[in-house]
Amino acid sequence: MSAPVECPMCHQPTRSAAARERGGIGGRCWRKLRPDQRAALRQDPTRIRAILTRPVPTANGQLPLGEEESSQ
């Protein structure tokens, strides 16, 4: 078995293969990430710091209407 990797978010050791594939992010910290951050980490787990410091998208909590719906 390989040596445990330290989670870059909480600095706790992670031992699972899934955590190693996510760039060392443990399960508890992984669940705290936004969906866009998870998708970015799945694509490139080497850019952990850049992805974690990405600002939260501004929105008022409501999705914009599509073009078809706004013309009615």
Side-chain angles (χ1 to χ4, degrees):
M1 184 164 189
S2 62
V5 176
E6 187 177 277
C7 175
M9 294 176 68
C10 67
H11 306 290
Q12 297 294 319
T14 58
R15 294 177 180 86
S16 72
R20 284 192 298 274
E21 290 174 10
R22 299 189 287 251
I25 297 177
R28 285 183 289 169
C29 294
W30 184 255
R31 288 188 292 273
K32 294 176 186 177
L33 295 175
R34 296 186 318 266
D36 63 315
Q37 290 176 320
R38 290 182 193 172
L41 281 170
R42 283 186 193 109
Q43 289 178 352
D44 189 9
T46 60
R47 299 189 58 234
I48 293 173
R49 284 288 136 210
I51 292 168
L52 294 179
T53 58
R54 190 180 289 174
V56 177
T58 58
N60 61 0
Q62 186 162 353
L63 297 174
L65 293 174
E67 291 180 26
E68 299 161 357
E69 294 176 9
S70 61
S71 63
Q72 293 177 353

